[in-house]
Structure formats: structure tokens, C-alpha cells
Amino acid sequence: MKRLLLVLLITISNVSVYGFPVDTARVNRTFNLMIEKGYTAEAQRDFFDAFPKTWHEFWLTYGNIPAFNNQKSKFRQHMKDGLCRLDKIPTDLFCDRLISLGIAGTVEADDVGSDLQDLIITELKKNPKLMMKCLSRRYYTAYFPFWYFVFNSLICHSDYVDLYEALRNPELGFAEEYPTIMSYMDQAFALSCGKARFMEDLFPSYTETHK
């Protein structure tokens, strides 16, 4: 709680000095035009370009921040009928944006984080090799905060363990191709997944190897 309050204070002071980092009017305009035009490629790209590009921008735009008159009330609509339906954006660009949004994110700060986390996990399952390739283009300091967000949860349940084990599947070859990324993934999974209670009885093999 103290950490969240500190982040809020820093955020408010930064916004007051530098201004709001996202053109919310443009986000709303391009979203509405995309709906009206029936999700054409051009309309999707306009909305994609206007959408927040980092976790900081994403949270400021949609997070539950009483001091701001932001787009919190439109978050579900912009996610469900917006970001989640961008099927005409090149996949590599879409994956790269998800990684940018996920770096330094948390599901504990606001409910907007869980929806974004779900979308990133879905894409990791759908396009694991492309997501790893996009992540590998980042400087190594991005690896841990990205994985920390991917596995961030109060209770470690089977969905997170299944994803972890799937990415560790030898058939994908990630351990050999991306050893540094996978090392940070191991650390983030151990530290971020199951912050409140770890279900040792459900995952005894994991518990033994990560004590």
C-alpha cells in the first residue's frame, strides 16, 4: 500500500509538471471511428497508434486514479472492442506493443492490470516464439519486469504454472536460444507468482525445486 501511494504521488507530480502523456481525445476519436468503419485496416492502425504504449501511459489512461479525469470508465470497452480485436495489425507489431505495455506492470495496483495480463498470456500461448523474439530485442533490464507482470498474482494457481511449464518445454528450445531471458523468467515466476499463498499441495515438484 505504501509503495502504491508513493507511485501515485510521483505520478501526480510528474503529470502536473510534464502534462498528461496520452492524447485521450485521440484515443476516443480513433476508437469510435474504428467502430463506425467496421474495423478497417486503416482505422485499426489509427487506434493502435493512439493507444498507450507503455504501462505508465496505460495506467494513467485507464487506472483508478481519483485525482485524474481519465478514461477509467471506458477501459473495458477500449480493451474488449478495441485492443483485443485488432486483427489487421501486423502480429510482430502487436506482440511488441504488448511487451511494452507489460514491462513494469502489476495486477495489484489496479484491476486494469489483470485484463492486460490476460491478453499478454493469451498471446504468449498463441505466438510464443514471436513473443520471445520481440522480447529478445529489448535491453536485458526489461526481461525481469516483463515476466514479473506476466506471472503477477496473489495466489499461484495452475494457469500460471501451466504457462511457465509450457514456455520451459524443451521442444520450443527457449532455454538454449534465450538463456538470459529464461533465467529472468525463472526468477520472476518464483518471486511474483503466489504473493499471498502458494499452494504447495498442488505443485509439490515446483515447491521442492524453488525453495
Side-chain angles (χ1 to χ4, degrees), residues 123-151:
E123 200 63 32
L124 274 167
K125 293 177 179 178
K126 182 180 177 182
N127 293 302
K129 292 187 177 181
L130 182 55
M131 287 288 283
M132 290 295 285
K133 183 178 180 180
C134 290
L135 181 58
S136 71
R137 296 170 182 159
R138 305 301 178 106
Y139 195 60
Y140 78 94
T141 53
Y143 301 160
F144 182 85
F146 172 74
W147 290 122
Y148 192 94
F149 177 61
V150 169
F151 295 111

PDB file of all heavy atoms in Angstrom, residues 123-151:
ATOM      1  N   GLU A 123      -1.525 -14.198 -25.815  1.00  0.00           N
ATOM      2  CA  GLU A 123      -0.612 -14.069 -26.952  1.00  0.00           C
ATOM      3  C   GLU A 123       0.642 -14.927 -26.759  1.00  0.00           C
ATOM      4  O   GLU A 123       1.179 -15.468 -27.730  1.00  0.00           O
ATOM      5  CB  GLU A 123      -0.220 -12.603 -27.136  1.00  0.00           C
ATOM      6  CG  GLU A 123       0.302 -12.272 -28.526  1.00  0.00           C
ATOM      7  CD  GLU A 123      -0.722 -12.469 -29.630  1.00  0.00           C
ATOM      8  OE1 GLU A 123      -1.926 -12.277 -29.355  1.00  0.00           O
ATOM      9  OE2 GLU A 123      -0.332 -12.814 -30.756  1.00  0.00           O
ATOM     10  N   LEU A 124       1.098 -15.075 -25.526  1.00  0.00           N
ATOM     11  CA  LEU A 124       2.241 -15.940 -25.248  1.00  0.00           C
ATOM     12  C   LEU A 124       1.917 -17.392 -25.589  1.00  0.00           C
ATOM     13  O   LEU A 124       2.776 -18.135 -26.071  1.00  0.00           O
ATOM     14  CB  LEU A 124       2.646 -15.833 -23.776  1.00  0.00           C
ATOM     15  CG  LEU A 124       3.597 -14.696 -23.401  1.00  0.00           C
ATOM     16  CD1 LEU A 124       3.653 -14.520 -21.890  1.00  0.00           C
ATOM     17  CD2 LEU A 124       4.992 -14.938 -23.963  1.00  0.00           C
ATOM     18  N   LYS A 125       0.695 -17.798 -25.345  1.00  0.00           N
ATOM     19  CA  LYS A 125       0.280 -19.156 -25.679  1.00  0.00           C
ATOM     20  C   LYS A 125       0.089 -19.328 -27.186  1.00  0.00           C
ATOM     21  O   LYS A 125       0.387 -20.385 -27.743  1.00  0.00           O
ATOM     22  CB  LYS A 125      -1.032 -19.499 -24.959  1.00  0.00           C
ATOM     23  CG  LYS A 125      -0.904 -19.592 -23.449  1.00  0.00           C
ATOM     24  CD  LYS A 125      -2.257 -19.867 -22.817  1.00  0.00           C
ATOM     25  CE  LYS A 125      -2.160 -19.990 -21.304  1.00  0.00           C
ATOM     26  NZ  LYS A 125      -3.495 -20.222 -20.679  1.00  0.00           N
ATOM     27  N   LYS A 126      -0.398 -18.281 -27.824  1.00  0.00           N
ATOM     28  CA  LYS A 126      -0.697 -18.328 -29.244  1.00  0.00           C
ATOM     29  C   LYS A 126       0.559 -18.188 -30.099  1.00  0.00           C
ATOM     30  O   LYS A 126       0.737 -18.898 -31.096  1.00  0.00           O
ATOM     31  CB  LYS A 126      -1.687 -17.205 -29.589  1.00  0.00           C
ATOM     32  CG  LYS A 126      -2.133 -17.170 -31.034  1.00  0.00           C
ATOM     33  CD  LYS A 126      -3.116 -16.018 -31.242  1.00  0.00           C
ATOM     34  CE  LYS A 126      -3.539 -15.886 -32.689  1.00  0.00           C
ATOM     35  NZ  LYS A 126      -4.466 -14.727 -32.881  1.00  0.00           N
ATOM     36  N   ASN A 127       1.428 -17.253 -29.742  1.00  0.00           N
ATOM     37  CA  ASN A 127       2.640 -16.971 -30.525  1.00  0.00           C
ATOM     38  C   ASN A 127       3.872 -16.907 -29.621  1.00  0.00           C
ATOM     39  O   ASN A 127       4.506 -15.850 -29.502  1.00  0.00           O
ATOM     40  CB  ASN A 127       2.491 -15.633 -31.280  1.00  0.00           C
ATOM     41  CG  ASN A 127       1.442 -15.687 -32.363  1.00  0.00           C
ATOM     42  OD1 ASN A 127       1.517 -16.497 -33.267  1.00  0.00           O
ATOM     43  ND2 ASN A 127       0.458 -14.797 -32.276  1.00  0.00           N
ATOM     44  N   PRO A 128       4.210 -17.996 -28.965  1.00  0.00           N
ATOM     45  CA  PRO A 128       5.328 -17.937 -28.014  1.00  0.00           C
ATOM     46  C   PRO A 128       6.662 -17.578 -28.653  1.00  0.00           C
ATOM     47  O   PRO A 128       7.428 -16.799 -28.085  1.00  0.00           O
ATOM     48  CB  PRO A 128       5.356 -19.357 -27.428  1.00  0.00           C
ATOM     49  CG  PRO A 128       4.702 -20.219 -28.462  1.00  0.00           C
ATOM     50  CD  PRO A 128       3.641 -19.345 -29.063  1.00  0.00           C
ATOM     51  N   LYS A 129       6.942 -18.106 -29.829  1.00  0.00           N
ATOM     52  CA  LYS A 129       8.238 -17.836 -30.468  1.00  0.00           C
ATOM     53  C   LYS A 129       8.359 -16.382 -30.895  1.00  0.00           C
ATOM     54  O   LYS A 129       9.416 -15.773 -30.748  1.00  0.00           O
ATOM     55  CB  LYS A 129       8.429 -18.768 -31.664  1.00  0.00           C
ATOM     56  CG  LYS A 129       8.596 -20.232 -31.267  1.00  0.00           C
ATOM     57  CD  LYS A 129       8.943 -21.107 -32.465  1.00  0.00           C
ATOM     58  CE  LYS A 129       9.181 -22.542 -32.029  1.00  0.00           C
ATOM     59  NZ  LYS A 129       9.547 -23.420 -33.159  1.00  0.00           N
ATOM     60  N   LEU A 130       7.282 -15.809 -31.396  1.00  0.00           N
ATOM     61  CA  LEU A 130       7.321 -14.412 -31.812  1.00  0.00           C
ATOM     62  C   LEU A 130       7.424 -13.487 -30.601  1.00  0.00           C
ATOM     63  O   LEU A 130       8.161 -12.488 -30.626  1.00  0.00           O
ATOM     64  CB  LEU A 130       6.086 -14.064 -32.641  1.00  0.00           C
ATOM     65  CG  LEU A 130       6.019 -12.643 -33.198  1.00  0.00           C
ATOM     66  CD1 LEU A 130       7.269 -12.320 -34.013  1.00  0.00           C
ATOM     67  CD2 LEU A 130       4.767 -12.466 -34.062  1.00  0.00           C
ATOM     68  N   MET A 131       6.702 -13.817 -29.541  1.00  0.00           N
ATOM     69  CA  MET A 131       6.787 -13.008 -28.324  1.00  0.00           C
ATOM     70  C   MET A 131       8.207 -13.036 -27.755  1.00  0.00           C
ATOM     71  O   MET A 131       8.736 -11.996 -27.335  1.00  0.00           O
ATOM     72  CB  MET A 131       5.788 -13.519 -27.283  1.00  0.00           C
ATOM     73  CG  MET A 131       4.341 -13.186 -27.598  1.00  0.00           C
ATOM     74  SD  MET A 131       3.930 -11.423 -27.392  1.00  0.00           S
ATOM     75  CE  MET A 131       3.814 -11.303 -25.602  1.00  0.00           C
ATOM     76  N   MET A 132       8.816 -14.202 -27.763  1.00  0.00           N
ATOM     77  CA  MET A 132      10.185 -14.302 -27.259  1.00  0.00           C
ATOM     78  C   MET A 132      11.164 -13.533 -28.149  1.00  0.00           C
ATOM     79  O   MET A 132      12.087 -12.889 -27.664  1.00  0.00           O
ATOM     80  CB  MET A 132      10.599 -15.765 -27.176  1.00  0.00           C
ATOM     81  CG  MET A 132       9.873 -16.539 -26.090  1.00  0.00           C
ATOM     82  SD  MET A 132      10.265 -15.972 -24.419  1.00  0.00           S
ATOM     83  CE  MET A 132      11.899 -16.655 -24.220  1.00  0.00           C
ATOM     84  N   LYS A 133      10.940 -13.591 -29.446  1.00  0.00           N
ATOM     85  CA  LYS A 133      11.798 -12.852 -30.372  1.00  0.00           C
ATOM     86  C   LYS A 133      11.686 -11.354 -30.134  1.00  0.00           C
ATOM     87  O   LYS A 133      12.700 -10.630 -30.115  1.00  0.00           O
ATOM     88  CB  LYS A 133      11.418 -13.192 -31.816  1.00  0.00           C
ATOM     89  CG  LYS A 133      12.305 -12.536 -32.863  1.00  0.00           C
ATOM     90  CD  LYS A 133      11.903 -12.963 -34.272  1.00  0.00           C
ATOM     91  CE  LYS A 133      12.802 -12.308 -35.319  1.00  0.00           C
ATOM     92  NZ  LYS A 133      12.410 -12.722 -36.692  1.00  0.00           N
ATOM     93  N   CYS A 134      10.464 -10.871 -29.951  1.00  0.00           N
ATOM     94  CA  CYS A 134      10.254  -9.446 -29.685  1.00  0.00           C
ATOM     95  C   CYS A 134      10.886  -9.038 -28.358  1.00  0.00           C
ATOM     96  O   CYS A 134      11.506  -7.978 -28.257  1.00  0.00           O
ATOM     97  CB  CYS A 134       8.765  -9.124 -29.677  1.00  0.00           C
ATOM     98  SG  CYS A 134       7.960  -9.207 -31.295  1.00  0.00           S
ATOM     99  N   LEU A 135      10.738  -9.890 -27.346  1.00  0.00           N
ATOM    100  CA  LEU A 135      11.316  -9.576 -26.044  1.00  0.00           C
ATOM    101  C   LEU A 135      12.839  -9.557 -26.122  1.00  0.00           C
ATOM    102  O   LEU A 135      13.493  -8.725 -25.472  1.00  0.00           O
ATOM    103  CB  LEU A 135      10.853 -10.599 -25.006  1.00  0.00           C
ATOM    104  CG  LEU A 135      11.352 -10.394 -23.570  1.00  0.00           C
ATOM    105  CD1 LEU A 135      10.936  -9.024 -23.038  1.00  0.00           C
ATOM    106  CD2 LEU A 135      10.821 -11.507 -22.670  1.00  0.00           C
ATOM    107  N   SER A 136      13.416 -10.435 -26.923  1.00  0.00           N
ATOM    108  CA  SER A 136      14.876 -10.519 -27.034  1.00  0.00           C
ATOM    109  C   SER A 136      15.493  -9.263 -27.643  1.00  0.00           C
ATOM    110  O   SER A 136      16.687  -9.023 -27.485  1.00  0.00           O
ATOM    111  CB  SER A 136      15.275 -11.743 -27.864  1.00  0.00           C
ATOM    112  OG  SER A 136      14.953 -11.572 -29.234  1.00  0.00           O
ATOM    113  N   ARG A 137      14.688  -8.467 -28.333  1.00  0.00           N
ATOM    114  CA  ARG A 137      15.185  -7.227 -28.924  1.00  0.00           C
ATOM    115  C   ARG A 137      15.348  -6.128 -27.888  1.00  0.00           C
ATOM    116  O   ARG A 137      15.970  -5.097 -28.168  1.00  0.00           O
ATOM    117  CB  ARG A 137      14.222  -6.752 -30.020  1.00  0.00           C
ATOM    118  CG  ARG A 137      14.113  -7.702 -31.215  1.00  0.00           C
ATOM    119  CD  ARG A 137      12.977  -7.265 -32.109  1.00  0.00           C
ATOM    120  NE  ARG A 137      12.795  -8.150 -33.249  1.00  0.00           N
ATOM    121  CZ  ARG A 137      11.675  -8.245 -33.955  1.00  0.00           C
ATOM    122  NH1 ARG A 137      10.635  -7.481 -33.640  1.00  0.00           N
ATOM    123  NH2 ARG A 137      11.584  -9.081 -34.967  1.00  0.00           N
ATOM    124  N   ARG A 138      14.764  -6.336 -26.721  1.00  0.00           N
ATOM    125  CA  ARG A 138      14.856  -5.335 -25.656  1.00  0.00           C
ATOM    126  C   ARG A 138      16.163  -5.487 -24.884  1.00  0.00           C
ATOM    127  O   ARG A 138      16.778  -6.539 -24.866  1.00  0.00           O
ATOM    128  CB  ARG A 138      13.675  -5.479 -24.690  1.00  0.00           C
ATOM    129  CG  ARG A 138      12.295  -5.417 -25.330  1.00  0.00           C
ATOM    130  CD  ARG A 138      12.085  -4.108 -26.049  1.00  0.00           C
ATOM    131  NE  ARG A 138      10.797  -4.052 -26.697  1.00  0.00           N
ATOM    132  CZ  ARG A 138       9.774  -3.327 -26.247  1.00  0.00           C
ATOM    133  NH1 ARG A 138       9.914  -2.597 -25.157  1.00  0.00           N
ATOM    134  NH2 ARG A 138       8.630  -3.322 -26.908  1.00  0.00           N
ATOM    135  N   TYR A 139      16.525  -4.405 -24.214  1.00  0.00           N
ATOM    136  CA  TYR A 139      17.692  -4.464 -23.338  1.00  0.00           C
ATOM    137  C   TYR A 139      17.361  -5.398 -22.178  1.00  0.00           C
ATOM    138  O   TYR A 139      16.202  -5.503 -21.764  1.00  0.00           O
ATOM    139  CB  TYR A 139      18.031  -3.063 -22.839  1.00  0.00           C
ATOM    140  CG  TYR A 139      19.403  -2.935 -22.229  1.00  0.00           C
ATOM    141  CD1 TYR A 139      20.541  -3.222 -22.976  1.00  0.00           C
ATOM    142  CD2 TYR A 139      19.560  -2.524 -20.911  1.00  0.00           C
ATOM    143  CE1 TYR A 139      21.814  -3.106 -22.419  1.00  0.00           C
ATOM    144  CE2 TYR A 139      20.822  -2.397 -20.350  1.00  0.00           C
ATOM    145  CZ  TYR A 139      21.938  -2.703 -21.106  1.00  0.00           C
ATOM    146  OH  TYR A 139      23.194  -2.591 -20.557  1.00  0.00           O
ATOM    147  N   TYR A 140      18.370  -6.061 -21.637  1.00  0.00           N
ATOM    148  CA  TYR A 140      18.127  -7.127 -20.662  1.00  0.00           C
ATOM    149  C   TYR A 140      17.382  -6.650 -19.414  1.00  0.00           C
ATOM    150  O   TYR A 140      16.723  -7.445 -18.735  1.00  0.00           O
ATOM    151  CB  TYR A 140      19.450  -7.788 -20.267  1.00  0.00           C
ATOM    152  CG  TYR A 140      20.283  -7.012 -19.283  1.00  0.00           C
ATOM    153  CD1 TYR A 140      20.190  -7.250 -17.906  1.00  0.00           C
ATOM    154  CD2 TYR A 140      21.178  -6.026 -19.712  1.00  0.00           C
ATOM    155  CE1 TYR A 140      20.947  -6.539 -16.993  1.00  0.00           C
ATOM    156  CE2 TYR A 140      21.937  -5.311 -18.807  1.00  0.00           C
ATOM    157  CZ  TYR A 140      21.818  -5.571 -17.450  1.00  0.00           C
ATOM    158  OH  TYR A 140      22.567  -4.858 -16.556  1.00  0.00           O
ATOM    159  N   THR A 141      17.454  -5.361 -19.099  1.00  0.00           N
ATOM    160  CA  THR A 141      16.758  -4.857 -17.914  1.00  0.00           C
ATOM    161  C   THR A 141      15.239  -4.923 -18.047  1.00  0.00           C
ATOM    162  O   THR A 141      14.531  -4.753 -17.055  1.00  0.00           O
ATOM    163  CB  THR A 141      17.178  -3.406 -17.623  1.00  0.00           C
ATOM    164  OG1 THR A 141      16.992  -2.615 -18.798  1.00  0.00           O
ATOM    165  CG2 THR A 141      18.637  -3.333 -17.205  1.00  0.00           C
ATOM    166  N   ALA A 142      14.739  -5.176 -19.241  1.00  0.00           N
ATOM    167  CA  ALA A 142      13.287  -5.283 -19.441  1.00  0.00           C
ATOM    168  C   ALA A 142      12.779  -6.686 -19.152  1.00  0.00           C
ATOM    169  O   ALA A 142      11.571  -6.882 -18.945  1.00  0.00           O
ATOM    170  CB  ALA A 142      12.925  -4.900 -20.875  1.00  0.00           C
ATOM    171  N   TYR A 143      13.662  -7.669 -19.126  1.00  0.00           N
ATOM    172  CA  TYR A 143      13.226  -9.064 -19.021  1.00  0.00           C
ATOM    173  C   TYR A 143      12.505  -9.363 -17.711  1.00  0.00           C
ATOM    174  O   TYR A 143      11.391  -9.904 -17.717  1.00  0.00           O
ATOM    175  CB  TYR A 143      14.423 -10.018 -19.177  1.00  0.00           C
ATOM    176  CG  TYR A 143      15.175  -9.903 -20.485  1.00  0.00           C
ATOM    177  CD1 TYR A 143      16.476 -10.377 -20.610  1.00  0.00           C
ATOM    178  CD2 TYR A 143      14.586  -9.307 -21.604  1.00  0.00           C
ATOM    179  CE1 TYR A 143      17.177 -10.273 -21.807  1.00  0.00           C
ATOM    180  CE2 TYR A 143      15.277  -9.194 -22.804  1.00  0.00           C
ATOM    181  CZ  TYR A 143      16.576  -9.676 -22.898  1.00  0.00           C
ATOM    182  OH  TYR A 143      17.263  -9.569 -24.080  1.00  0.00           O
ATOM    183  N   PHE A 144      13.153  -9.026 -16.606  1.00  0.00           N
ATOM    184  CA  PHE A 144      12.541  -9.357 -15.311  1.00  0.00           C
ATOM    185  C   PHE A 144      11.204  -8.641 -15.089  1.00  0.00           C
ATOM    186  O   PHE A 144      10.224  -9.286 -14.726  1.00  0.00           O
ATOM    187  CB  PHE A 144      13.509  -9.047 -14.160  1.00  0.00           C
ATOM    188  CG  PHE A 144      12.948  -9.405 -12.808  1.00  0.00           C
ATOM    189  CD1 PHE A 144      13.071 -10.690 -12.320  1.00  0.00           C
ATOM    190  CD2 PHE A 144      12.293  -8.454 -12.041  1.00  0.00           C
ATOM    191  CE1 PHE A 144      12.537 -11.035 -11.084  1.00  0.00           C
ATOM    192  CE2 PHE A 144      11.759  -8.782 -10.811  1.00  0.00           C
ATOM    193  CZ  PHE A 144      11.881 -10.077 -10.329  1.00  0.00           C
ATOM    194  N   PRO A 145      11.122  -7.308 -15.283  1.00  0.00           N
ATOM    195  CA  PRO A 145       9.829  -6.645 -15.042  1.00  0.00           C
ATOM    196  C   PRO A 145       8.721  -7.112 -15.961  1.00  0.00           C
ATOM    197  O   PRO A 145       7.546  -7.070 -15.597  1.00  0.00           O
ATOM    198  CB  PRO A 145      10.132  -5.155 -15.244  1.00  0.00           C
ATOM    199  CG  PRO A 145      11.415  -5.097 -15.979  1.00  0.00           C
ATOM    200  CD  PRO A 145      12.178  -6.322 -15.589  1.00  0.00           C
ATOM    201  N   PHE A 146       9.075  -7.590 -17.167  1.00  0.00           N
ATOM    202  CA  PHE A 146       8.039  -8.136 -18.047  1.00  0.00           C
ATOM    203  C   PHE A 146       7.505  -9.443 -17.487  1.00  0.00           C
ATOM    204  O   PHE A 146       6.284  -9.624 -17.352  1.00  0.00           O
ATOM    205  CB  PHE A 146       8.590  -8.365 -19.454  1.00  0.00           C
ATOM    206  CG  PHE A 146       7.623  -9.100 -20.356  1.00  0.00           C
ATOM    207  CD1 PHE A 146       6.507  -8.455 -20.861  1.00  0.00           C
ATOM    208  CD2 PHE A 146       7.812 -10.444 -20.664  1.00  0.00           C
ATOM    209  CE1 PHE A 146       5.591  -9.127 -21.673  1.00  0.00           C
ATOM    210  CE2 PHE A 146       6.911 -11.123 -21.476  1.00  0.00           C
ATOM    211  CZ  PHE A 146       5.801 -10.468 -21.980  1.00  0.00           C
ATOM    212  N   TRP A 147       8.403 -10.357 -17.141  1.00  0.00           N
ATOM    213  CA  TRP A 147       7.962 -11.649 -16.605  1.00  0.00           C
ATOM    214  C   TRP A 147       7.284 -11.487 -15.247  1.00  0.00           C
ATOM    215  O   TRP A 147       6.355 -12.239 -14.918  1.00  0.00           O
ATOM    216  CB  TRP A 147       9.139 -12.605 -16.490  1.00  0.00           C
ATOM    217  CG  TRP A 147       9.687 -13.086 -17.794  1.00  0.00           C
ATOM    218  CD1 TRP A 147      10.964 -12.951 -18.257  1.00  0.00           C
ATOM    219  CD2 TRP A 147       8.968 -13.778 -18.831  1.00  0.00           C
ATOM    220  NE1 TRP A 147      11.090 -13.512 -19.505  1.00  0.00           N
ATOM    221  CE2 TRP A 147       9.878 -14.029 -19.879  1.00  0.00           C
ATOM    222  CE3 TRP A 147       7.649 -14.201 -18.967  1.00  0.00           C
ATOM    223  CZ2 TRP A 147       9.512 -14.690 -21.048  1.00  0.00           C
ATOM    224  CZ3 TRP A 147       7.272 -14.853 -20.137  1.00  0.00           C
ATOM    225  CH2 TRP A 147       8.192 -15.097 -21.155  1.00  0.00           C
ATOM    226  N   TYR A 148       7.745 -10.521 -14.474  1.00  0.00           N
ATOM    227  CA  TYR A 148       7.114 -10.292 -13.180  1.00  0.00           C
ATOM    228  C   TYR A 148       5.636  -9.962 -13.360  1.00  0.00           C
ATOM    229  O   TYR A 148       4.779 -10.429 -12.603  1.00  0.00           O
ATOM    230  CB  TYR A 148       7.820  -9.144 -12.451  1.00  0.00           C
ATOM    231  CG  TYR A 148       7.433  -9.003 -10.993  1.00  0.00           C
ATOM    232  CD1 TYR A 148       8.179  -9.615  -9.991  1.00  0.00           C
ATOM    233  CD2 TYR A 148       6.313  -8.253 -10.615  1.00  0.00           C
ATOM    234  CE1 TYR A 148       7.819  -9.494  -8.652  1.00  0.00           C
ATOM    235  CE2 TYR A 148       5.949  -8.124  -9.292  1.00  0.00           C
ATOM    236  CZ  TYR A 148       6.703  -8.743  -8.311  1.00  0.00           C
ATOM    237  OH  TYR A 148       6.333  -8.622  -6.989  1.00  0.00           O
ATOM    238  N   PHE A 149       5.326  -9.162 -14.372  1.00  0.00           N
ATOM    239  CA  PHE A 149       3.937  -8.821 -14.646  1.00  0.00           C
ATOM    240  C   PHE A 149       3.164 -10.022 -15.187  1.00  0.00           C
ATOM    241  O   PHE A 149       2.011 -10.259 -14.811  1.00  0.00           O
ATOM    242  CB  PHE A 149       3.860  -7.667 -15.648  1.00  0.00           C
ATOM    243  CG  PHE A 149       2.447  -7.303 -16.033  1.00  0.00           C
ATOM    244  CD1 PHE A 149       1.544  -6.867 -15.087  1.00  0.00           C
ATOM    245  CD2 PHE A 149       2.025  -7.409 -17.349  1.00  0.00           C
ATOM    246  CE1 PHE A 149       0.240  -6.527 -15.432  1.00  0.00           C
ATOM    247  CE2 PHE A 149       0.732  -7.077 -17.709  1.00  0.00           C
ATOM    248  CZ  PHE A 149      -0.166  -6.641 -16.753  1.00  0.00           C
ATOM    249  N   VAL A 150       3.776 -10.785 -16.066  1.00  0.00           N
ATOM    250  CA  VAL A 150       3.103 -11.944 -16.658  1.00  0.00           C
ATOM    251  C   VAL A 150       2.626 -12.909 -15.573  1.00  0.00           C
ATOM    252  O   VAL A 150       1.508 -13.431 -15.639  1.00  0.00           O
ATOM    253  CB  VAL A 150       4.040 -12.678 -17.643  1.00  0.00           C
ATOM    254  CG1 VAL A 150       3.452 -14.026 -18.051  1.00  0.00           C
ATOM    255  CG2 VAL A 150       4.282 -11.821 -18.882  1.00  0.00           C
ATOM    256  N   PHE A 151       3.455 -13.140 -14.553  1.00  0.00           N
ATOM    257  CA  PHE A 151       3.126 -14.119 -13.519  1.00  0.00           C
ATOM    258  C   PHE A 151       2.611 -13.484 -12.229  1.00  0.00           C
ATOM    259  O   PHE A 151       2.389 -14.191 -11.246  1.00  0.00           O
ATOM    260  CB  PHE A 151       4.364 -14.974 -13.202  1.00  0.00           C
ATOM    261  CG  PHE A 151       4.816 -15.833 -14.346  1.00  0.00           C
ATOM    262  CD1 PHE A 151       6.000 -15.571 -15.015  1.00  0.00           C
ATOM    263  CD2 PHE A 151       4.040 -16.897 -14.780  1.00  0.00           C
ATOM    264  CE1 PHE A 151       6.411 -16.364 -16.076  1.00  0.00           C
ATOM    265  CE2 PHE A 151       4.436 -17.699 -15.845  1.00  0.00           C
ATOM    266  CZ  PHE A 151       5.633 -17.431 -16.489  1.00  0.00           C
TER     267      PHE A 151
END
